[in-house]
Amino acid sequence: MKKQPEPRRRNSNEMIPPNMSGCEANAEENKEETEEQEPARIAEANILVAHDQFSCSVCLELLKDPVAIPCGHSYCMGCIKNCWDQTDHTGVYSCPQCRKTFTPRPDLCRNTMLAEVVEKLKKTGLNPPPAQSYAGPGDVPCDFCTGRKFKAVKSCLTCLASYCETHVKPHSEVTPLKRHKLINAIGDLEQKLCAEHQKVLEVFCRTDQTCICMLCTQDEHKSHDTVSAKKERCVEQKQLGETQSEIQQRIQERLKEIEELKQAVESLKRSACIEIKESEKIFTELIRSIEKIHTEVIELIGANEKAAVNQAEGRMKKLEQEIAELRWRNAELKQLSETEDHIHFLQNFQSLCAPPEAGGLPSVTVNTDISFEAVRKAVSELKDHIEDFCKGELIKITTTVNEVAVYSLQAPEPRNRAEFLKYSCQLTLDPNTAHRNLCLSEGNRKVTLRGETQRYPDHSERFDSRYQVLCREGLSGTRCYWEIECSGGGASIGVTYKGISRKGGDDSCLLGCNEKSWSLFCSDSSYTAWHNNNQTAITAPHSPRIGVYLDFNAGTLSFYGVSDTMTLLHRFQTTFTEPLYPGFCLHCYDSTVTICQLN
């Protein structure tokens, strides 16, 4: 008969048979060792049971000065006393466990025998864990506790179970269990098992980026790139560390930004408070100046009225005196004409019939349509002038205020025509600025250079030498986009401050040839960018349509050739300080420029 081979102990690296868990295999191999530990476990379990039996259900600790109430339940004297003190006003007292009520309040006496039993339990030195170690909401309960479960402190990835402080002790005392992988207590340990083979997940498949068990490496993941979960963790841990470092660096950067923003906000608040007070002071002085002018105008009208009235009243008084004298003389003449005394008549005739003295009062022409309408018109013009001036200055103030910001955050420039169209604006040509050889049409959206003169009225804003016209709309503090079509020869497309010169033929009037304007000259064969009489030649394919993009706050003015794609022709980078007015200059007769409808 052949000698039977001696049983060999399984190597820890060998694969466990499919029908036996890691915990079962280890328990079978180490049956004798685990049996030696069984009495200790039973003793510990008995202590836990004893603790439950001699614990106060109010404080969950061993009874202190135990008392038994009429229903038979026991409590710490202090606990039940405090409990009943809270309901003393009702006159009804109940047991915290069975809710049986008592009236009147029962007398409490220390249970001597129960107190002695508790003292003996304390002397064993094997006190159970404190009350706060019981598993509560959100805690992982111990899988081996019976009755009320304690909070688990460790989970075993081999046993796939969680243990409290008492039940985890065998993993540090029993040799086979010492090889198990313990981690801080976690829930859902079933997720650590392979769904197909019900084995522990301990391998990582890099091909499928998933965790698998050892049996999976011999099945559907056989030809895949697989490593141990520990090895993959080391690789990923390194990347995790790098990510954490980046996050920490970003946190520090953001904290620094927050601190800078806080300081900037405080500075802005202080500055705003000062400027509001100063502005109130300035506007108060401005209001006083206007009120002073108002008072002076009222006083002037009043003084003029008083002088005119006094003069008229003096004239009326002299006229009344003259009338009185003439009436007296007329009465004397009547009386003389009626006398029968010829001698008396002849003696007084010469003196009474002498003509009135000439030059006493000059003749006057009385104005019956007296009115201060001219004064009212002058005051109204003053009001309009002040309002126009204030509107212009308000735009400057608004631009200046808008430039004050705690931080600058620029949105990215549009990348395609659809994004540009989000900033499209409506523009119309201003007839008051058009040269007399420019003909406006299509609702003041198209301009054509003609040989004949147009009948435009005189206006201070009209260009008298350059074939130019501006739009009505002033653009500031925002993003704007518009498109232009040119035909028939050369034309300049640009923007300018309102203060560009309108009279004369020098460069101060021409778009792009002064510091107040920027333009793009377009011909059938070339493009040229102009500003302050400096030109930049541009090499690009001809496009019948030009897109103009203005980012006022960013200080950029860009010209694009518009076709299937947006081709950047030129970009001006500066700081705009006033509203900008789109404008056009035509260089050839019958050439046209049209502002395109974009909606």
Side-chain angles (χ1 to χ4, degrees):
M1 181 181 294
K2 285 187 178 181
K3 184 178 179 181
Q4 294 291 331
E6 294 182 3
R8 65 181 181 85
R9 188 174 297 276
R10 180 175 58 84
N11 187 283
S12 61
N13 293 325
E14 283 188 54
M15 186 173 63
I16 302 170
N19 61 348
M20 185 179 292
S21 68
C23 184
E24 291 170 345
N26 286 325
E28 186 175 326
E29 292 178 358
N30 300 280
K31 186 176 180 181
E32 294 179 0
E33 294 185 44
T34 54
E35 287 178 351
E36 292 176 358
Q37 302 296 327
E38 192 62 26
R41 293 186 186 181
I42 294 173
E44 291 174 358
N46 289 336
I47 292 172
L48 293 175
V49 173
H51 178 269
D52 287 341
Q53 291 177 345
F54 297 101
S55 294
C56 172
S57 61
V58 177
C59 67
L60 303 179
E61 295 183 358
L62 287 175
L63 293 166
K64 299 175 183 177
D65 294 330
V67 295
I69 61 177
C71 63
H73 291 112
S74 300
Y75 300 94
C76 301
M77 180 178 288
C79 291
I80 192 64
K81 184 177 181 298
N82 291 336
C83 183
W84 283 353
D85 286 346
Q86 295 176 7
T87 60
D88 206 15
H89 63 284
T90 65
V92 179
Y93 308 92
S94 62
C95 173
Q97 283 186 268
C98 66
R99 300 299 178 185
K100 186 174 181 180
T101 59
F102 313 103
T103 304
R105 178 171 176 167
D107 294 330
L108 298 176
C109 298
R110 187 171 185 270
N111 190 324
T112 306
M113 183 179 69
L114 192 57
E116 291 177 355
V117 173
V118 172
E119 287 299 321
K120 288 181 180 179
L121 276 175
K122 290 180 179 180
K123 290 179 181 179
T124 61
L126 296 174
N127 291 329
Q132 61 265 27
S133 64
Y134 283 109
D139 293 331
V140 178
C142 175
D143 292 324
F144 283 82
C145 286
T146 58
R148 188 177 183 187
K149 295 181 177 291
F150 289 110
K151 183 172 69 173
V153 293
K154 293 291 182 180
S155 293
C156 178
L157 296 181
T158 306
C159 304
L160 291 180
S162 298
Y163 302 92
C164 64
E165 291 182 353
T166 300
H167 290 115
V168 79
K169 287 181 180 179
H171 278 74
S172 60
E173 297 171 352
V174 180
T175 303
L177 297 181
K178 291 180 180 180
R179 294 194 292 268
H180 289 192
K181 176 64 174 178
L182 292 178
I183 61 173
N184 292 331
I186 59 173
D188 298 328
L189 286 171
E190 288 297 323
Q191 294 183 357
K192 308 300 179 185
L193 288 178
C194 173
E196 183 176 354
H197 302 106
Q198 295 300 306
K199 300 301 176 185
V200 178
L201 300 174
E202 50 186 339
V203 179
F204 184 78
C205 177
R206 289 176 172 172
T207 305
D208 294 336
Q209 291 293 299
T210 186
C211 294
I212 59 177
C213 69
M214 289 297 296
L215 289 180
C216 291
T217 61
Q218 301 174 10
D219 196 359
E220 64 268 24
H221 297 270
K222 185 175 182 179
S223 60
H224 292 183
D225 181 12
T226 59
V227 294
S228 67
K230 182 178 181 181
K231 183 175 180 180
E232 184 66 17
R233 166 67 184 273
C234 292
V235 175
E236 300 294 344
Q237 187 74 32
K238 182 179 179 181
Q239 182 178 350
L240 177 65
E242 294 174 355
T243 303
Q244 284 181 308
S245 298
E246 292 178 2
I247 291 174
Q248 289 297 329
Q249 182 179 356
R250 186 169 296 181
I251 289 173
Q252 295 302 319
E253 292 174 354
R254 295 297 181 260
L255 289 173
K256 183 179 178 182
E257 289 180 9
I258 289 175
E259 187 61 31
E260 291 175 350
L261 281 172
K262 287 181 179 178
Q263 295 177 3
V265 167
E266 291 301 321
S267 176
L268 180 66
K269 288 180 178 179
R270 291 192 298 269
S271 177
C273 183
I274 294 172
E275 294 307 318
I276 288 174
K277 291 181 179 179
E278 290 298 320
S279 297
E280 287 178 348
K281 181 180 177 182
I282 293 171
F283 278 107
T284 299
E285 294 175 355
L286 176 60
I287 292 170
R288 287 176 180 172
S289 298
I290 295 175
E291 289 176 345
K292 183 179 179 182
I293 295 173
H294 173 221
T295 302
E296 290 176 355
V297 171
I298 298 301
E299 290 177 350
L300 178 62
I301 295 174
N304 184 275
E305 174 197 12
K306 186 176 180 180
V309 169
N310 290 337
Q311 186 178 4
E313 288 177 348
R315 176 73 180 183
M316 287 188 294
K317 186 175 181 180
K318 290 181 179 180
L319 290 173
E320 288 172 352
Q321 290 175 354
E322 184 176 351
I323 290 171
E325 292 177 358
L326 290 173
R327 284 176 177 173
W328 173 83
R329 190 172 182 181
N330 184 53
E332 291 293 325
L333 289 173
K334 182 179 179 182
Q335 185 178 1
L336 181 63
S337 67
E338 293 174 353
T339 185
E340 295 179 357
D341 186 349
H342 302 304
I343 300 302
H344 176 75
F345 178 86
L346 294 173
Q347 288 177 342
N348 293 282
F349 173 78
Q350 294 296 331
S351 60
L352 291 176
C353 289
E357 295 181 3
L361 282 176
S363 60
V364 296
T365 301
V366 178
N367 183 10
T368 58
D369 188 20
I370 300 175
S371 173
F372 284 94
E373 184 178 351
V375 177
R376 183 169 66 249
K377 183 178 179 181
V379 173
S380 180
E381 290 177 352
L382 173 63
K383 177 183 78 70
D384 294 340
H385 178 73
I386 292 176
E387 286 180 350
D388 291 342
F389 177 78
C390 288
K391 286 180 182 177
E393 294 303 309
L394 181 59
I395 293 175
K396 295 180 183 179
I397 294 171
T398 302
T399 303
T400 305
V401 172
N402 288 338
E403 290 175 352
V404 179
V406 176
Y407 62 91
S408 176
L409 183 60
Q410 290 292 337
E413 186 164 303
R415 295 165 294 181
N416 52 57
R417 188 167 181 266
E419 292 184 3
F420 278 105
L421 290 177
K422 294 178 182 179
Y423 303 100
S424 62
C425 61
Q426 299 294 327
L427 299 177
T428 54
L429 301 171
D430 185 358
N432 291 331
T433 65
H435 186 277
R436 284 190 167 85
N437 285 92
L438 296 179
C439 177
L440 305 186
S441 59
E442 296 185 9
N444 290 342
R445 297 182 65 86
K446 181 178 180 180
V447 56
T448 305
L449 178 57
R450 300 294 189 190
E452 61 273 12
T453 302
Q454 308 299 311
R455 295 184 178 180
Y456 294 134
D458 291 337
H459 200 283
S460 60
E461 295 185 357
R462 188 176 309 286
F463 291 99
D464 63 358
S465 296
R466 298 293 185 177
Y467 300 134
Q468 296 185 155
V469 61
L470 302 183
C471 290
R472 294 180 182 272
E473 295 78 13
L475 309 177
S476 65
T478 184
R479 293 181 168 197
C480 301
Y481 177 76
W482 61 97
E483 292 180 353
I484 304 300
E485 288 185 350
C486 304
S487 63
S492 294
I493 303 168
V495 296
T496 179
Y497 294 147
K498 192 172 185 178
I500 189 173
S501 179
R502 316 297 175 98
K503 311 303 178 184
D506 58 10
D507 289 346
S508 63
C509 302
L510 191 60
L511 285 175
C513 293
N514 48 71
E515 61 181 8
K516 296 181 179 181
S517 60
W518 298 257
S519 71
L520 178 74
F521 171 75
C522 309
S523 70
D524 294 337
S525 59
S526 65
Y527 298 104
T528 308
W530 288 83
H531 173 62
N532 203 17
N533 221 16
N534 294 320
Q535 58 177 314
T536 303
I538 300 168
T539 302
H542 173 72
S543 176
R545 179 173 287 203
I546 302 298
V548 186
Y549 175 69
L550 170 67
D551 189 337
F552 189 93
N553 293 334
T556 59
L557 175 67
S558 306
F559 295 90
Y560 290 86
V562 180
S563 57
D564 294 335
T565 59
M566 302 290 288
T567 303
L568 178 64
L569 301 176
H570 188 76
R571 177 181 289 119
F572 291 103
Q573 182 69 58
T574 184
T575 300
F576 299 119
T577 58
E578 301 177 30
L580 294 168
Y581 291 81
F584 311 100
C585 179
L586 282 68
H587 302 281
C588 300
Y589 283 111
D590 295 327
S591 61
T592 64
V593 170
T594 304
I595 303 173
C596 302
Q597 291 278 7
L598 298 180
N599 51 13

